[in-house]
Amino acid sequence: MKEVRVGIIGTGAISWAHIDGYKKLKDKGVTVVACCDPDENKAREYAKENEIPNVFTDYNEMLKMDGLDAVSVTTWNSVHNPATLAALRAGKHVLCEKPLALSVEQAEEMKAEADKAGLVLNVGFVMRFEKKVQIYRDFEKAGLLGNIHLAKVKYTRRNGAPIGWFTSKDMAGGGPVFDLGVHVVDISRYLMGNKKPVSVSAAAFKGQGAKQNIKLLERYRASAPFDIYDVEDLAVAFIRFEDGGVISLETSYTQHIEKDEISISFYGDKGGIDYYPQPVVHTDMLDYLADIKPIVEIGEDDGFPAEIAHFIDCVRGEAASIAPAQDGVDIMRILGAVYESAAAGKEVALQG
Ligand SMILES: NC(=O)c1ccc[n+]([C@@H]2O[C@H](COP(=O)([O-])OP(=O)(O)OC[C@H]3O[C@@H](n4cnc5c(N)ncnc54)[C@H](O)[C@@H]3O)[C@@H](O)[C@H]2O)c1
């Protein structure tokens, strides 16, 4: 089995999920040989903790290393595009965190570069790698759901603006739509068969800000703690697909709700499925209304180890990507249209 030598660009919070995934593949010839972060102390600490021999503060220097095959791009969003392009131009395969970029144009540029170089560019759509995907697929294949008309998806937080770069439009590209909505829009569209979007109608609201003064509550702190909060607090959207199917989205960092919530539900003409955290099917059976709850042990259903293992399979040419750059581009198009529609105050059509 060919050895794969990996580098990590960005040693913040989510890079730990990536390195854990790579470490699980040690016996299968995968080694993390380098890491990079402009915060040198952070990079050195990460390297020490994870026994990584080479530490850099500039990814361009890291990419000059001999024998480096692939990288994870786990930086804040505004660095996804330049770091990915640099890696691809240096001949490295890339697993880039979500959202793929700040704009459709950037995402298309990254996909084109990967295509030109003949290299893998996977997107960190981690929910595609959770075990419950299989449960959905099994029920779907058995015809228990029929045609799915509607996905209702929600990823809302009451007091959950991550303090730091996530609330700067320049660094994050957007607020909860880009950070949280991206996951639930992607997984619902993916399970519905990667439908072609035709229009988006949305509204977005601002005004509460980061609420850093809330007492007696711990908050997640990302790096680069800027006092910038120019993203939305809350957005709602209605995404229409070519075949008539729709996704309805609600996502927030700060919203006056009782508690944080992730919910993903699909409604078809034969059955519905409350998908998250563990799927339960609602249907008619033997002229009864019936619920089917598979008894499974999927724990917290962490998709990261499978996402990383799949990336390595793609790098080795042993699998076709199930989270390819094209899907990253498509999702950017949808999320971009959410902001466009919210700003225009009317539905926008999607081209192409
Ligand atoms: N898949 C998921 O569930 C999930 C969860 C959280 C975050 N994310 C994504 O992961 C990415 C990182 O988020 P995070 O929470 O780890 O943020 P973070 O702030 O903890 O880490 C980001 C790191 O990137 C580093 N960085 C910035 N510029 C860099 C550069 N030029 N070269 C190398 N490193 C650079 C920063 O110094 C920081 O250490 C984001 O794109 C975010 O959307 C994904």
Side-chain angles (χ1 to χ4, degrees):
M1 192 177 287
K2 186 186 173 298
E3 204 187 317
V4 180
R5 306 196 332 155
V6 180
I8 306 277
I9 302 181
T11 60
I14 213 63
S15 68
W16 290 88
H18 285 238
I19 195 137
D20 283 352
Y22 290 120
K23 280 179 178 170
K24 286 190 168 70
L25 301 170
K26 198 174 168 204
D27 295 345
K28 295 187 176 154
V30 177
T31 328
V32 176
V33 294
C35 67
C36 166
D37 200 294
D39 183 337
E40 188 172 352
N41 288 338
K42 192 172 182 175
R44 292 212 171 279
E45 200 52 41
Y46 185 82
K48 193 172 151 206
E49 191 75 25
N50 296 298
E51 298 174 357
I52 301 171
N54 300 288
V55 185
F56 297 85
T57 52
D58 177 349
Y59 57 74
N60 291 303
E61 292 304 314
M62 184 180 102
L63 293 169
K64 289 180 189 160
M65 266 183 73
D66 279 344
L68 188 66
D69 304 298
V71 296
S72 270
V73 174
T74 49
T75 62
W76 47 63
N77 300 348
S78 58
V79 178
H80 288 187
N81 171 278
T84 297
L85 290 177
L88 292 168
R89 286 172 186 154
K92 319 300 176 201
H93 302 280
V94 178
L95 168 57
C96 180
E97 263 303 340
K98 49 51 61 174
L100 183 53
L102 299 181
S103 66
V104 179
E105 292 71 27
Q106 282 192 351
E108 282 175 335
E109 187 186 19
M110 293 152 82
K111 182 192 177 298
E113 193 66 41
D115 289 349
K116 192 171 89 183
L119 293 163
V120 175
L121 172 54
N122 279 5
V123 188
F125 289 138
V126 69
M127 292 183 98
R128 295 184 178 207
F129 298 91
E130 293 174 351
K131 297 187 185 86
K132 54 186 161 281
V133 166
Q134 184 190 331
I135 304 175
Y136 181 99
R137 295 282 191 223
D138 286 345
F139 278 94
E140 181 196 34
K141 265 192 222 132
L144 272 104
L145 306 176
N147 291 320
I148 300 291
H149 305 308
L150 165 67
K152 269 175 73 178
V153 298
K154 210 178 199 192
Y155 199 150
T156 49
R157 291 181 183 160
R158 180 172 182 168
N159 185 41
I163 296 166
W165 63 266
F166 279 95
T167 56
S168 153
K169 193 148 178 71
D170 282 351
M171 298 180 80
V177 170
F178 263 36
D179 182 31
L180 311 178
V182 60
H183 281 301
V184 288
V185 169
D186 177 64
I187 191 63
S188 53
R189 173 173 176 261
Y190 176 68
L191 290 174
M192 289 163 86
N194 266 354
K195 294 172 189 284
K196 183 170 180 249
V198 289
S199 68
V200 174
S201 183
F205 306 95
K206 286 183 177 180
Q208 294 189 61
K211 301 213 286 192
Q212 295 201 41
N213 55 342
I214 297 293
K215 294 173 184 164
L216 300 176
L217 282 177
E218 284 297 317
R219 287 276 292 284
Y220 170 64
R221 285 182 183 273
S223 43
F226 295 96
D227 281 336
I228 299 169
Y229 193 108
D230 59 358
V231 297
E232 74 284 3
D233 300 324
L234 160 69
V236 288
F238 188 77
I239 302 153
R240 197 185 289 276
F241 295 94
E242 193 176 40
D243 69 351
V246 295
I247 294 175
S248 120
L249 164 74
E250 182 180 333
T251 186
S252 69
Y253 276 158
T254 48
Q255 188 179 359
H256 293 295
I257 48 180
E258 185 190 357
K259 55 181 170 42
D260 298 354
E261 186 181 341
I262 301 175
S263 69
I264 302 169
S265 294
F266 299 90
Y267 304 99
D269 53 9
K270 296 246 167 54
I273 183 162
D274 290 327
Y275 177 76
Y276 191 94
Q278 287 203 7
V280 181
V281 172
H282 310 292
T283 187
D284 306 342
M285 195 174 271
L286 306 173
D287 289 336
Y288 294 101
L289 297 185
D291 294 337
I292 306 168
K293 185 176 181 184
I295 312 294
V296 289
E297 287 177 357
I298 56 176
E300 286 190 9
D301 205 3
D302 175 8
F304 281 103
E307 175 187 291
I308 302 292
H310 176 71
F311 174 56
I312 296 297
D313 288 347
C314 293
V315 165
R316 287 187 166 131
E318 292 168 359
S321 175
I322 64 165
Q326 182 59 54
D327 291 357
V329 173
D330 291 349
I331 291 297
M332 288 307 303
R333 189 165 283 126
I334 293 172
L335 302 187
V338 169
Y339 289 118
E340 202 187 317
S341 166
K346 61 179 186 192
E347 182 167 278
V348 297
L350 287 163
Q351 316 294 337

